[in-house]
Amino acid sequence: MIDVQAVLPGEVPPVLFDPITLRSLTIPNRAWMSPMCMYSAAPAGPDTGVPHDWHYSHLAARAAGGAGLILTEATAVSAEGRITPWDLGLWNDRQERAFAHISHLLTLHGAVPGIQLGHAGRKASTDRPWRGGGPVAPADGGWPVTGPSPLAFDDGHPVPHELTTEEIQRVVADFAAAAGRALRAGFRVAEIHGAHGYLIGEFLSPHSNHRTDAYGGSFANRIRLALQIADAVRAVWPDDLPVLFRVSATDWLTENPGDERDGWTADDTVRLAKELHAHGIDLLDTSSGGNAPRARIVPTPGYQVPFAARVRAETGMPVAAVGKITDPRQAEDILTSGHADAVLLGRELLRDPYWPHRAARELGARPTWPDQYAYAL
């Protein structure tokens, strides 16, 4: 990984390459790989949702590139929970065996293997982004979608089936079962995907949750599913290993005081963080958006960092910042200023799998590559 002791004369060791410990797990640095869907699994048949050579090479390259924690793309806890028919899943033994190979590869390269578990809710059964991303009808290999309320995500999208309380408990059980499989497959970090307008986020936001039962209406009711899933995953995950939660800190909708139908807000995120921390969540992965298709978002460099900083300042909960973090000095400044405990890199790691090694050089630490790559030093 990175030798932080080997700094240039007069330089302070970069915080970006300080280890961080969550529970008993030490992650070797704070430059982490964000979950990014590849939409490359088999869409049907016995290999549905199963990782294969594409996923192995993609993830292993970023681990060899020096990322301290690698989080897999959103991995569906059930077949109907996939965003697209080409998504990864973890609901059967075949998938579990393939994921075990991934965790082994990541560990071999010195990274901590992590997995993001999710359910797409009303945004499920869509096409791959490079083919337009529109809904895929059941006749074309898609499936009926579900959500907290019968509200379509956007024009042209199907109206979801409103989940019953019994079906909600089935979703909670699916998350727990997938977490158990992930643990057996060798993963050391589990992340619950509660962001970007997928099922958990749909329940959180009054923009998409118009229920009047115990899972809708008040803030306490709307966060109920998130807390139940956190409890269910935490119950099967070892006490000495961390569980993370990804949240969209805001829906980016106009926030009118007193009108809860406007959407999820940064204030809500701070309140949720306190509850999640009390339920055993160890770090909040702070993103934004995804629940309202025409929300106005201007993605400037580090535009989501203030949300992470606020959670950290007001709750004391560890946070990771994500979004337009591309420069090593920018990442270092986020950490040294106390805005976050780690940074998550997405598109930048697609452009440059070895970004952490390059960042180490720029910040004055010495990259320690695999022996096979020593000629590059």
Side-chain angles (χ1 to χ4, degrees):
M1 298 301 294
I2 309 296
D3 182 2
V4 296
Q5 302 303 318
V7 296
L8 300 177
E11 291 282 342
V12 176
V15 177
L16 187 61
F17 296 103
D18 274 350
I20 180 172
T21 299
L22 298 172
R23 299 201 177 224
S24 70
L25 179 69
T26 297
I27 301 170
N29 64 48
R30 298 162 190 252
W32 299 352
M33 178 174 167
S34 188
M36 292 176 283
C37 289
M38 294 290 104
Y39 311 107
S40 297
D47 286 331
T48 299
V50 176
H52 56 77
D53 288 350
W54 166 263
H55 305 92
Y56 302 151
S57 60
H58 166 67
L59 294 170
R62 276 77 196 167
L69 170 67
I70 302 284
L71 288 167
T72 68
E73 64 189 81
T75 301
V77 299
S78 62
E80 62 273 17
R82 292 171 293 163
I83 303 166
T84 78
W86 297 270
D87 283 9
L88 295 181
L90 190 50
W91 64 81
N92 65 39
D93 292 346
R94 193 180 185 94
Q95 297 160 344
E96 183 180 325
R97 288 193 296 269
F99 271 110
H101 186 45
I102 285 178
S103 71
H104 172 73
L105 283 174
L106 301 184
T107 303
L108 185 67
H109 285 294
V112 172
I115 188 167
Q116 186 188 69
L117 302 173
H119 189 298
R122 67 177 183 169
K123 292 176 72 175
S125 190
T126 57
D127 209 338
R128 292 187 278 196
W130 54 85
R131 302 201 323 185
V136 176
D140 297 321
W143 54 91
V145 300
T146 61
S149 301
L151 301 169
F153 170 66
D154 198 4
D155 296 341
H157 284 245
V159 174
H161 161 69
E162 180 174 307
L163 290 167
T164 67
T165 54
E166 292 78 11
E167 289 167 337
I168 289 171
Q169 292 312 302
R170 179 67 252 173
V171 170
V172 174
D174 287 342
F175 270 89
R181 288 186 178 279
L183 182 65
R184 291 194 297 272
F187 287 93
R188 308 289 284 166
V189 173
E191 178 172 270
I192 299 166
H193 195 359
H196 302 157
Y198 298 121
L199 186 66
I200 297 173
E202 292 165 18
F203 270 86
L204 293 176
S205 175
H207 176 73
S208 45
N209 183 348
H210 292 186
R211 298 175 75 98
T212 57
D213 64 359
Y215 288 92
S218 69
F219 176 84
N221 283 354
R222 287 184 282 110
I223 71 170
R224 190 179 306 278
L225 176 62
L227 298 184
Q228 288 182 341
I229 289 174
D231 288 343
V233 171
R234 188 74 266 177
V236 300
W237 207 249
D239 287 342
D240 62 340
L241 293 178
V243 176
L244 319 183
F245 189 100
R246 173 164 269 199
V247 68
S248 280
T250 176
D251 283 341
W252 292 101
L253 296 172
T254 302
E255 299 176 12
N256 297 320
D259 184 357
E260 287 200 329
R261 285 292 170 87
D262 282 339
W264 185 259
T265 70
D267 289 344
D268 293 328
T269 295
V270 172
R271 293 175 66 188
L272 175 65
K274 294 174 182 177
E275 295 290 341
L276 289 171
H277 205 28
H279 283 255
I281 298 300
D282 300 289
L283 179 142
L284 197 70
D285 173 357
T286 313
S287 188
S288 70
N291 196 38
R294 277 171 289 282
R296 185 174 181 272
I297 305 172
V298 182
T300 55
Y303 71 107
Q304 295 174 149
V305 173
F307 300 124
R310 184 178 169 192
V311 170
R312 191 174 190 266
E314 296 185 27
T315 70
M317 184 180 190
V319 298
V322 62
K324 288 281 186 176
I325 300 170
T326 60
D327 181 77
R329 289 289 175 189
Q330 174 199 19
E332 181 71 3
D333 288 345
I334 290 168
L335 300 175
T336 57
S337 62
H339 293 330
D341 299 276
V343 295
L344 284 153
L345 301 154
R347 291 176 176 87
E348 191 62 19
L349 280 181
L350 296 182
R351 291 185 282 264
D352 180 4
Y354 295 95
W355 187 94
H357 288 315
R358 178 169 62 81
R361 284 178 176 268
E362 291 187 22
L363 296 175
R366 179 183 300 161
T368 305
W369 289 15
D371 291 340
Q372 295 89 338
Y373 293 178
Y375 288 116
L377 292 177

